């Protein structure tokens, strides 16, 4: 902590000071207790300048230590965020998704990211990950980050309770064999964009999840009743509470209470997953018949604008010269 405090006192550290801090910090960090590590990471989360090697080192630590740094630090550049998301797994990628702002470069990398790990279906196993990821002691240097993480923990706990209720009601949402299913990163991005009400980014992520055109995603979102989006999210296997949250954020009238729950809850609860899957697949087939990629459209447009016959001038030897006698 003395090393961290000394580094924080440098308003504009030079390259030499950055290199010296990196050389001192890493061995001291590894030799410290978990509590000291958390305090050091929380303090560095507020620093405006951090050596790239230190940022990558901290971001690659277990999520219980790295979470506040990944969610709050403004000193991590885009390339390091992408490296961490690709190399450290789902928990770290979710922490990156929770940042207040993400550049288009990072968003594209997260959208393209695929995780082949199967989802855990046991209630205890599902609840372990958010508990581990958010088990962070509040410190004076990271109060804002701690408040944000606490809100996320509350939302995640509510989602898990509702998922448990859905399982007790006999729904087998975990059986997704042969069905198009959201990856963990895609689901986290959809929830993030809905939370921020970023409709453009949400449409891009939804089109990617459907492997369809952006036009189809926008048309689904333009149904102001929320019925089409609810059908789509159910077909893609989004968690029940996540889907409720998305609908409530994008369509304000669905957040109104009705029979001790919200209208979004009632809309989703009335849907049959099998019917939703069949309907969305019909939309995707129609979209594949009508949508043409931009490159193909430009090629066809250029071909249509070209003249049907090109007038050619015959070679000089074929031209007959007629003169007067």
């Amino acid at each position: 902590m003395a090393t961290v405090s000394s580094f924080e006192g440098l308003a504009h550290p030079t390259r030499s000071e950055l290199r010296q801090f990196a050389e001192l910090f890493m061995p001291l960090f590894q030799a410290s207790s978990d509590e000291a590590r958390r305090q050091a990471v929380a303090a560095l989360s507020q620093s405006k300048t951090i050596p790239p090697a230190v940022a990558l080192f901290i971001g690659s630590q277990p999520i219980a230590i790295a979470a506040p740094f990944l969610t709050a630090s403004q000193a991590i550049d885009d390339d390091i965020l992408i490296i961490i998301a690709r190399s450290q797994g789902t928990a770290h990628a979710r922490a990156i998704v929770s940042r207040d702002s993400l550049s288009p470069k990072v968003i594209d990398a997260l959208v393209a990211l695929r995780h082949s790990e199967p989802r855990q279906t046991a209630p205890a196993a599902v609840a372990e990950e958010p508990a581990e990821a958010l088990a962070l002691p509040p410190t004076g240097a990271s109060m804002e980050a701690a408040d944000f993480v606490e809100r996320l923990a509350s939302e995640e706990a509510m989602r898990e309770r509702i998922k448990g209720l859905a399982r007790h009601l006999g729904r087998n949402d975990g059986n997704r064999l042969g069905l198009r299913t959201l990856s963990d990163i895609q689901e986290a991005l959809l929830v993030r964009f809905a939370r921020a009400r970023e409709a453009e980014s949400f449409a891009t992520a939804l089109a990617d999840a459907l492997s369809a055109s952006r036009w189809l995603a926008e048309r689904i979102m333009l149904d102001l009743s929320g019925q089409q989006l609810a059908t789509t999210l159910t077909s893609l296997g989004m968690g029940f509470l996540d889907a409720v949250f998305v609908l409530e954020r994008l369509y304000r009238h669905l957040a109104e209470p009705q029979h001790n729950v919200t209208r979004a809850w009632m809309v989703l609860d009335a849907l049959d997953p099998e019917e939703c899957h069949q309907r969305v697949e019909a939309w995707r087939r129609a979209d594949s018949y009508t949508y043409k990629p931009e490159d193909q459209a430009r090629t066809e447009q250029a071909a249509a604008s070209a003249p049907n016959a090109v007038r050619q001038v015959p070679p000089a030897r074929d031209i007959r010269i007629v003169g007067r006698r």
Side-chain angles (χ1 to χ4, degrees):
M1 288 305 300
T3 303
V4 171
S5 300
S6 300
F7 179 74
E8 288 181 319
L10 302 175
H12 302 285
T14 63
R15 291 184 179 180
S16 176
E17 291 170 337
L18 290 173
R19 183 175 61 254
Q20 183 180 9
F21 174 72
E23 294 173 352
L24 289 174
F25 177 78
M26 295 182 187
L28 289 175
F29 185 89
Q30 292 175 339
S32 301
S33 64
D34 289 343
E35 181 64 23
R37 293 180 180 182
R38 291 191 180 97
Q39 293 179 4
V41 170
L44 290 176
S45 299
Q46 311 304 317
S47 298
K48 296 181 179 180
T49 305
I50 294 177
V54 174
L56 180 59
F57 175 77
I58 295 176
S60 301
Q61 296 300 310
I63 190 61
I65 294 176
F69 185 75
L70 293 175
T71 58
S73 176
Q74 300 302 317
I76 318 176
D77 61 30
D78 292 345
D79 291 334
I80 292 179
L81 285 175
I82 293 173
I83 291 173
I84 294 172
R86 289 175 175 172
S87 62
Q88 298 303 317
T90 303
H92 288 71
R94 283 182 173 177
I96 294 172
V97 169
S98 301
R99 292 172 65 86
D100 290 337
S101 62
L102 291 174
S103 68
K105 179 179 179 181
V106 175
I107 291 175
D108 290 342
L110 291 172
V111 169
L113 194 60
R114 295 292 185 269
H115 288 275
S116 59
E117 299 177 359
R119 292 190 177 187
Q120 297 172 326
T121 56
V126 174
E128 284 176 4
E129 182 178 345
E132 178 185 358
L134 299 173
L136 303 171
T139 61
S142 62
M143 289 304 297
E144 293 183 1
D147 292 341
F148 180 74
V149 171
E150 184 177 355
R151 290 197 299 272
L152 289 181
S154 177
E155 292 178 3
E156 189 68 22
M158 180 62 71
R159 292 189 188 99
E160 296 307 323
R161 284 197 293 270
I162 295 180
K163 287 177 182 178
L165 289 175
R167 282 190 291 269
H168 286 303
L169 291 175
R171 293 186 178 181
N172 189 12
D173 295 335
N175 185 10
R176 303 286 304 171
L177 184 62
L179 301 179
R180 182 175 300 275
T181 305
L182 288 173
S183 69
D184 292 337
I185 300 302
Q186 288 173 329
E187 184 167 349
L189 283 172
L190 289 174
V191 172
R192 171 194 169 83
F193 293 142
R195 178 184 291 112
R197 292 194 172 94
E198 298 177 7
E200 294 291 330
S201 299
F202 187 92
T204 300
L206 183 62
D208 175 76
L210 290 169
S211 297
S213 69
R214 183 184 174 86
W215 176 84
L216 175 60
E218 292 177 347
R219 183 169 181 177
I220 290 173
M221 295 174 63
L222 284 176
D223 175 22
L224 299 182
S225 69
Q227 189 74 29
Q228 290 189 11
L229 182 57
T231 300
T232 304
L233 298 179
T234 301
S235 173
L236 292 174
M238 176 175 278
F240 189 83
L241 183 56
D242 285 336
V244 171
F245 177 80
V246 168
L247 292 176
E248 291 176 354
R249 296 294 291 180
L250 295 180
Y251 307 99
R252 294 179 181 273
H253 66 283
L254 294 182
E256 299 174 358
Q258 183 177 2
H259 304 296
N260 296 325
V261 294
T262 62
R263 296 179 64 183
W265 180 305
M266 301 293 292
V267 170
L268 287 164
D269 189 61
L271 295 176
D272 179 75
E274 182 61 28
E275 293 180 359
C276 292
H277 174 67
Q278 294 176 0
R279 184 169 300 179
V280 171
E281 286 303 307
W283 294 344
R284 293 183 64 255
R285 285 195 298 271
D287 180 68
S288 66
Y289 298 151
T290 58
Y291 173 72
K292 296 180 180 180
E294 294 181 0
D295 294 340
Q296 180 181 351
R298 284 196 296 266
T299 302
E300 294 181 358
Q301 183 178 2
S305 61
N308 295 330
V310 179
R311 183 175 299 174
Q312 298 180 353
V313 179
R317 65 176 180 272
D318 294 336
I319 299 177
R320 296 180 180 178
I321 301 176
V322 178
R324 292 183 180 181
R325 290 183 178 178

Coordinates of all heavy atoms in Angstrom, one line a residue, residues 114 180 182 186 190 203-213 216-218 220 229 231-233 235-236 280-281 283-284 287:
R114 N -17.1 -15.9 -28.3 CA -17.9 -17.1 -28.1 C -17.3 -18.0 -27.0 O -16.1 -18.2 -27.0 CB -18.0 -18.0 -29.4 CG -18.7 -17.2 -30.5 CD -20.2 -17.1 -30.2 NE -20.9 -16.5 -31.3 CZ -21.0 -15.2 -31.5 NH1 -20.5 -14.4 -30.6 NH2 -21.7 -14.8 -32.5
R180 N -31.2 -22.6 -31.0 CA -30.3 -21.4 -31.0 C -30.4 -20.8 -29.6 O -31.4 -20.5 -29.1 CB -30.8 -20.4 -32.1 CG -29.9 -19.2 -32.2 CD -30.4 -18.3 -33.3 NE -30.3 -19.1 -34.6 CZ -29.2 -19.2 -35.3 NH1 -28.1 -18.6 -34.9 NH2 -29.2 -19.9 -36.4
L182 N -28.5 -18.1 -26.6 CA -27.6 -17.0 -26.3 C -26.4 -17.5 -25.6 O -26.5 -18.4 -24.7 CB -28.3 -16.0 -25.5 CG -29.4 -15.1 -26.1 CD1 -30.1 -14.3 -25.0 CD2 -28.8 -14.2 -27.2
Q186 N -23.3 -12.7 -25.0 CA -24.4 -12.1 -25.7 C -25.5 -11.7 -24.8 O -26.1 -10.6 -24.9 CB -25.0 -13.1 -26.8 CG -24.1 -13.3 -28.0 CD -24.6 -14.4 -28.9 OE1 -25.2 -15.3 -28.5 NE2 -24.3 -14.2 -30.2
L190 N -26.8 -7.8 -24.1 CA -28.2 -7.4 -24.2 C -28.7 -6.7 -22.9 O -29.4 -5.7 -23.0 CB -29.1 -8.6 -24.6 CG -28.8 -9.2 -26.0 CD1 -29.7 -10.5 -26.2 CD2 -29.2 -8.2 -27.1
A203 N -29.9 -3.5 -30.9 CA -30.3 -4.1 -32.1 C -29.1 -4.8 -32.8 O -29.3 -5.9 -33.4 CB -30.8 -3.0 -33.1
T204 N -27.9 -4.2 -32.7 CA -26.7 -4.9 -33.3 C -26.5 -6.2 -32.6 O -26.2 -7.3 -33.2 CB -25.5 -4.0 -33.1 OG1 -25.7 -2.8 -33.8 CG2 -24.3 -4.7 -33.7
A205 N -26.5 -6.2 -31.2 CA -26.3 -7.5 -30.5 C -27.4 -8.5 -30.7 O -27.1 -9.7 -30.8 CB -26.2 -7.2 -29.0
L206 N -28.7 -8.0 -30.9 CA -29.8 -9.0 -31.1 C -29.6 -9.6 -32.5 O -29.9 -10.8 -32.7 CB -31.1 -8.2 -31.0 CG -32.4 -9.1 -31.2 CD1 -32.4 -10.1 -30.1 CD2 -33.6 -8.2 -31.1
A207 N -29.2 -8.8 -33.5 CA -29.0 -9.4 -34.8 C -27.9 -10.4 -34.8 O -28.0 -11.4 -35.5 CB -28.7 -8.2 -35.8
D208 N -26.9 -10.2 -34.1 CA -25.8 -11.1 -34.0 C -26.3 -12.4 -33.3 O -25.9 -13.5 -33.7 CB -24.6 -10.5 -33.2 CG -23.5 -11.5 -32.9 OD1 -22.8 -11.8 -33.9 OD2 -23.4 -12.0 -31.8
A209 N -27.1 -12.3 -32.3 CA -27.6 -13.5 -31.6 C -28.5 -14.3 -32.5 O -28.5 -15.5 -32.4 CB -28.3 -13.0 -30.3
L210 N -29.3 -13.6 -33.3 CA -30.2 -14.3 -34.2 C -29.5 -14.8 -35.5 O -30.1 -15.5 -36.3 CB -31.3 -13.4 -34.6 CG -32.3 -13.0 -33.5 CD1 -33.3 -11.9 -34.0 CD2 -33.2 -14.3 -33.2
S211 N -28.3 -14.3 -35.7 CA -27.6 -14.6 -37.0 C -28.5 -14.2 -38.2 O -28.7 -14.9 -39.2 CB -27.2 -16.1 -37.2 OG -26.3 -16.5 -36.2
A212 N -29.0 -13.0 -38.0 CA -30.0 -12.4 -39.0 C -29.6 -11.0 -39.3 O -28.6 -10.5 -38.8 CB -31.4 -12.5 -38.5
S213 N -30.3 -10.3 -40.1 CA -30.0 -9.0 -40.5 C -30.4 -8.0 -39.4 O -31.3 -8.3 -38.6 CB -30.8 -8.6 -41.8 OG -32.2 -8.5 -41.5
L216 N -34.2 -7.2 -39.4 CA -35.1 -8.0 -38.6 C -35.1 -7.6 -37.1 O -36.1 -7.5 -36.5 CB -34.7 -9.5 -38.8 CG -35.5 -10.5 -37.9 CD1 -37.0 -10.4 -38.3 CD2 -35.0 -11.9 -38.1
A217 N -33.9 -7.4 -36.6 CA -33.8 -7.0 -35.2 C -34.5 -5.7 -34.9 O -35.2 -5.6 -33.9 CB -32.3 -6.9 -34.7
E218 N -34.4 -4.7 -35.8 CA -35.1 -3.4 -35.6 C -36.6 -3.6 -35.7 O -37.3 -3.0 -35.0 CB -34.6 -2.4 -36.6 CG -33.1 -2.0 -36.4 CD -32.6 -1.1 -37.4 OE1 -33.3 -1.0 -38.5 OE2 -31.5 -0.5 -37.2
I220 N -38.3 -6.3 -34.9 CA -38.8 -6.9 -33.7 C -38.9 -5.8 -32.6 O -39.9 -5.8 -31.9 CB -37.8 -8.0 -33.3 CG1 -37.9 -9.2 -34.3 CG2 -38.1 -8.5 -31.8 CD1 -36.8 -10.3 -34.0
L229 N -40.4 -8.9 -29.0 CA -39.1 -9.0 -28.4 C -39.2 -10.1 -27.3 O -38.2 -10.9 -27.1 CB -38.7 -7.7 -27.8 CG -37.3 -7.7 -27.1 CD1 -36.2 -8.2 -28.1 CD2 -37.0 -6.3 -26.5
T231 N -41.1 -12.7 -27.3 CA -41.0 -14.0 -28.0 C -39.6 -14.4 -28.4 O -39.2 -15.5 -28.3 CB -41.9 -13.9 -29.3 OG1 -43.3 -13.6 -28.9 CG2 -41.9 -15.2 -30.1
T232 N -38.8 -13.4 -28.9 CA -37.5 -13.6 -29.4 C -36.6 -14.0 -28.2 O -35.8 -15.0 -28.3 CB -36.9 -12.4 -30.1 OG1 -37.8 -12.0 -31.1 CG2 -35.5 -12.6 -30.6
L233 N -36.7 -13.3 -27.1 CA -35.8 -13.6 -26.0 C -36.1 -14.9 -25.4 O -35.2 -15.7 -24.9 CB -36.0 -12.5 -24.9 CG -35.6 -11.1 -25.3 CD1 -35.8 -10.1 -24.2 CD2 -34.1 -11.0 -25.7
S235 N -37.3 -17.5 -27.1 CA -36.8 -18.5 -28.1 C -35.3 -18.6 -27.9 O -34.7 -19.8 -28.1 CB -37.1 -18.0 -29.5 OG -36.5 -18.9 -30.5
L236 N -34.5 -17.6 -27.6 CA -33.1 -17.6 -27.5 C -32.6 -18.2 -26.2 O -31.4 -18.3 -26.0 CB -32.5 -16.2 -27.7 CG -32.6 -15.7 -29.2 CD1 -32.1 -14.2 -29.2 CD2 -31.8 -16.5 -30.1
V280 N -39.9 -17.5 -34.2 CA -38.7 -16.8 -34.5 C -38.0 -17.5 -35.7 O -37.4 -16.8 -36.5 CB -37.8 -16.8 -33.2 CG1 -36.4 -16.3 -33.6 CG2 -38.4 -16.0 -32.2
E281 N -38.0 -18.8 -35.8 CA -37.4 -19.5 -36.9 C -38.1 -19.1 -38.2 O -37.4 -19.0 -39.3 CB -37.4 -21.0 -36.7 CG -36.4 -21.5 -35.7 CD -35.0 -21.1 -36.0 OE1 -34.5 -21.4 -37.1 OE2 -34.3 -20.5 -35.1
W283 N -39.5 -16.2 -38.8 CA -39.0 -14.8 -39.0 C -37.6 -14.9 -39.7 O -37.3 -14.2 -40.6 CB -38.9 -14.0 -37.8 CG -40.3 -13.7 -37.1 CD1 -41.5 -13.9 -37.7 CD2 -40.5 -13.3 -35.8 NE1 -42.5 -13.5 -36.8 CE2 -41.9 -13.2 -35.7 CE3 -39.7 -13.0 -34.7 CZ2 -42.5 -12.8 -34.5 CZ3 -40.3 -12.6 -33.5 CH2 -41.7 -12.5 -33.4
R284 N -36.7 -15.8 -39.1 CA -35.4 -15.9 -39.7 C -35.4 -16.4 -41.1 O -34.6 -15.9 -41.9 CB -34.5 -16.7 -38.8 CG -34.2 -16.2 -37.4 CD -33.3 -17.1 -36.6 NE -32.0 -17.2 -37.2 CZ -31.6 -18.2 -37.9 NH1 -32.3 -19.3 -38.0 NH2 -30.4 -18.2 -38.4
D287 N -36.4 -13.6 -43.3 CA -35.4 -12.7 -43.4 C -34.3 -13.1 -44.4 O -33.7 -12.3 -45.1 CB -34.8 -12.4 -42.0 CG -33.7 -11.4 -42.0 OD1 -33.9 -10.2 -42.3 OD2 -32.5 -11.8 -41.8

